[in-house]
Amino acid sequence: MTKKQTWIIFGLSAACLTTPVLALTFSSSIDSLGIDALKLHKPPYNLTGRKIAIGQVEIGRPGKFGVDKAVSNNHALSLVAVFLRNTPAKSNSGVDPHAHNVAGVMVSKDKAFPGVAPNARLYSAAVGATKSQGQPEECLTAQHIATQNGGDVRAINFSFGEPLNRDPRPDAVLDGNALLTMCVDWSSRVHDVLYAIAGNQGKGGIPIPTDNYNAMNVAFSSRREQVFNKVDVSNLAAANEGAAARLAGKEINLGARRSVNILSPGSNIRMLNPDGKVNKVTGTSFAAPHLTGTVALLQEFGDRELKNKKNNWSHASRRHEVMKAVLLNSTDKLKDKGDGLRLGMTRTIIDKQNLDWLASDAYQNPKIPLHAQMGAGHLNASRALQQFSAGQWQPNQPVAALGWDYNTVAANAFVDYVLAKPLKANSFVAVTLTWDRLVELEDKNNNQMYEEGENFRDRGLNNLDLYLVQENGSTVANCASISEVDSVEHVFCPVPVAGAYKIRVQYKQQVNEPKQAYALAWWTVPVN
């Protein structure tokens, strides 16, 4: 009989009956093989989400110590407040292991199973599981969480969704007009909060509200040789599976718009249940909170820079559009060969067909900004901090090789960002542009709050385009993103020749307001 041994691997303790090599599968999703957030907890960064409020909305809720007996022996989660919709939660009611696991990904203080942002201030609300609860109650719950912490909540995690067969609209489709979807887009703008939405939930397909414009939808990755670098095969149908998937009852965004923004670890994530026992969990439910926790780390850094009155820094660092642009632009796609030409990326990501970014329509077609299965690529918290810490650079002066901005552009006009240094030949450029769909509340009593019985009005999406432009004014072939339907433009392309370049944000077509706010993030390789 094999003698039972316990191995300590990557800081995790696991009872194992086989060789130490197999125990390596217990590597953490937040170490360098996952999203590389553990490094940020330590000097010189010391980022753990302190004083940053984040939220969680689900059918159930995590247990709170001092409120729920279920967690009386497990102090790993420290929650600020728990609610049932928009009222305080009742003791020992609605505690759900799924919600507890999701919260643990964000804020667990357990030394063996730390969360992405263990010191963030988490506000969590349960919608409730009765059949009478639907999108109005879910919207009320999200609004309640968005207004906590004095109205300063930076990100909210949705590890649940509504299937289309529960939507009251006749012949409902994922066209962005479900009540909960419009609620998420409205709240993103009005409360300035980034929603992290778990896509591809369960067997029913990709649910409401993954047809949003202003949030971030998360697909999940699995490990190959210990590294999280593959789109998990159980992620559901992608856009390129098209009409056939729709006919089979899969829930796919209407039209050409992509429904995945980013990839994050979600396979065999080891978490603590309310009773303190270890649970191995899989799904986009556990990928989304990696993103939410990363926002808390970045926002702690941003607030530190504001406090220290750093140059090239402003309150724009708190904008949800800036977070979205920074997180998308800093993803991993293709492993750098050591020469820096691929922006120092740490891994090559492959899709369900084992193809990489260069084989995708997103790389080859300027009208398609995001990969159907991985969005812009795989979440990397360390790279996101590198992108964010480069600071805000405005277009009234030459800009650094790495940076971001929050600004406005007028209809039928463009804004140019002239790069201060020439770019290296054959180096890759990554640029991401994000902006909001305009959704307004049809506010019957003018109290600026959503209430049951009220609805939202979709005023549409202005059309912005993104280009890399040579000094002589000509746009670079294949270095453009000109989607007519997405609220993100994303460029990832090689520079054909060394020389001077600029990034152009163009307001192509007005649908609502004549001025459009946007966020831009860029990462380039200058000639030394």
Side-chain angles (χ1 to χ4, degrees):
M1 184 177 173
T2 308
K3 184 180 176 184
K4 186 174 182 179
Q5 294 177 295
T6 297
W7 306 99
I8 306 294
I9 307 293
F10 296 115
L12 304 185
S13 175
C16 189
L17 291 171
T18 57
T19 64
V21 175
L22 290 179
L24 284 171
T25 56
F26 300 151
S27 66
S28 168
S29 59
I30 69 168
D31 65 17
S32 61
L33 305 181
I35 66 167
D36 204 15
L38 269 182
K39 180 169 78 180
L40 304 185
H41 294 178
K42 300 165 187 167
Y45 310 103
N46 301 312
L47 297 172
T48 56
R50 283 178 205 86
K51 298 184 179 178
I52 301 300
I54 56 177
Q56 176 186 19
V57 177
E58 287 196 47
I59 302 305
R61 65 171 178 85
K64 178 171 164 57
F65 183 69
V67 175
D68 303 301
K69 286 180 183 175
V71 293
S72 56
N73 296 319
N74 177 11
H75 305 176
L77 292 192
S78 177
L79 308 177
V80 180
V82 287
F83 303 97
L84 174 62
R85 293 187 289 284
N86 53 358
T87 58
K90 293 176 182 174
S91 294
N92 307 312
S93 176
V95 178
D96 172 41
H98 178 274
H100 200 85
N101 292 153
V102 170
V105 174
M106 295 185 272
V107 298
S108 169
K109 286 184 164 72
D110 189 273
K111 286 183 179 175
F113 303 95
V116 178
N119 290 317
R121 297 172 54 80
L122 181 62
Y123 295 83
S124 183
V127 177
T130 64
K131 286 182 180 177
S132 61
Q133 309 306 332
Q135 294 180 55
E137 290 80 11
E138 290 157 359
C139 181
L140 276 174
T141 308
Q143 173 180 254
H144 185 67
I145 291 295
T147 53
Q148 296 304 305
N149 201 52
D152 184 17
V153 174
R154 308 293 170 91
I156 295 176
N157 196 85
F158 266 38
S159 283
F160 79 101
E162 273 288 308
L164 271 172
N165 61 18
R166 271 175 51 104
D167 190 277
R169 296 173 299 159
D171 303 317
V173 289
L174 285 181
D175 57 2
N177 293 324
L179 185 130
L180 183 59
T181 302
M182 290 202 285
C183 176
V184 164
D185 280 356
W186 167 78
S187 177
S188 300
R189 180 177 63 84
V190 170
H191 302 119
D192 189 20
V193 61
L194 184 67
Y195 282 83
I197 310 288
N200 350 40
Q201 281 297 109
K203 294 178 181 176
I206 303 174
I208 299 163
T210 58
D211 52 340
N212 71 76
Y213 287 77
N214 304 346
M216 288 181 72
N217 295 339
V218 190
F220 76 101
S221 63
S222 55
R223 298 173 176 91
R224 281 189 321 156
E225 298 174 348
Q226 309 312 318
V227 183
F228 283 95
N229 62 4
K230 179 176 169 63
V231 177
D232 193 279
V233 291
S234 55
N235 280 284
L236 291 175
N240 58 6
E241 293 166 40
R246 234 178 245 119
L247 287 171
K250 301 286 188 184
E251 297 174 8
I252 309 292
N253 269 354
L254 203 64
R257 197 160 63 91
R258 293 284 152 97
S259 61
V260 172
N261 292 104
I262 200 165
L263 194 61
S264 178
S267 175
N268 289 322
I269 310 295
R270 293 169 66 80
M271 292 309 311
L272 295 176
N273 278 345
D275 61 5
K277 289 180 179 172
V278 179
N279 188 21
K280 209 186 276 188
V281 293
T282 290
T284 52
S285 283
F286 310 102
H290 285 85
L291 184 74
T292 311
T294 300
V295 172
L297 301 183
L298 297 181
Q299 287 296 303
E300 183 188 359
F301 175 86
D303 282 6
R304 194 187 290 169
E305 299 293 88
L306 282 171
K307 188 178 177 184
N308 294 331
K309 298 189 164 99
K310 282 291 176 75
N311 290 335
N312 296 94
W313 210 265
S314 77
H315 279 86
S317 61
R318 294 180 174 177
R319 296 292 313 178
H320 66 279
E321 303 100 317
V322 169
M323 278 292 90
K324 187 173 177 180
V326 162
L327 289 160
L328 292 177
N329 206 58
S330 56
T331 52
D332 278 319
K333 290 184 185 70
L334 299 169
K335 187 169 183 177
D336 193 273
K337 294 173 181 175
D339 54 14
L341 296 181
R342 290 181 172 182
L343 313 179
M345 292 182 179
T346 67
R347 71 197 87 182
T348 294
I349 310 302
I350 59 169
D351 65 15
K352 291 196 279 184
Q353 288 73 38
N354 295 316
L355 299 173
D356 68 16
W357 184 271
L358 299 181
S360 71
D361 54 5
Y363 180 66
Q364 293 159 8
N365 185 345
K367 288 192 171 183
I368 300 176
L370 299 172
H371 191 290
Q373 296 178 31
M374 66 177 84
H378 199 286
L379 175 65
N380 185 316
S382 291
R383 283 176 52 77
L385 180 65
Q386 192 178 344
Q387 174 78 72
F388 193 43
S389 63
Q392 182 177 12
W393 294 81
Q394 296 189 323
N396 54 7
Q397 60 183 2
V399 303
L402 184 65
W404 55 268
D405 189 29
Y406 178 72
N407 225 307
T408 59
V409 61
N412 304 312
F414 60 82
V415 177
D416 278 352
Y417 292 78
V418 179
L419 292 158
K421 292 183 177 178
L423 301 185
K424 266 188 187 175
N426 302 314
S427 68
F428 273 80
V429 169
V431 194
T432 304
L433 174 68
T434 65
W435 70 103
D436 282 348
R437 170 172 72 145
L438 182 56
V439 175
E440 293 176 340
L441 175 64
E442 293 181 343
D443 193 2
K444 291 177 182 174
N445 58 3
N446 295 316
N447 68 349
Q448 279 91 52
M449 298 280 284
Y450 169 76
E451 288 163 352
E452 279 191 72
E454 292 182 334
N455 214 319
F456 297 94
R457 182 161 69 110
D458 174 18
R459 293 195 52 208
L461 180 74
N462 290 326
N463 186 10
L464 273 55
D465 287 338
L466 181 63
Y467 301 91
L468 185 67
V469 182
Q470 288 178 292
E471 189 176 26
N472 64 11
S474 59
T475 57
V476 183
N478 298 324
C479 287
S481 184
I482 53 170
S483 168
E484 295 167 359
V485 293
D486 292 273
S487 57
V488 169
E489 299 290 4
H490 181 67
V491 166
F492 180 69
C493 66
V495 172
V497 291
Y501 291 86
K502 55 192 174 187
I503 296 159
R504 175 165 295 170
V505 175
Q506 184 157 10
Y507 188 163
K508 182 82 176 291
Q509 184 184 10
Q510 180 184 344
V511 174
N512 48 66
E513 301 296 328
K515 274 197 168 181
Q516 178 63 57
Y518 66 86
L520 184 73
W522 62 91
W523 195 316
T524 65
V525 183
V527 173
N528 294 335

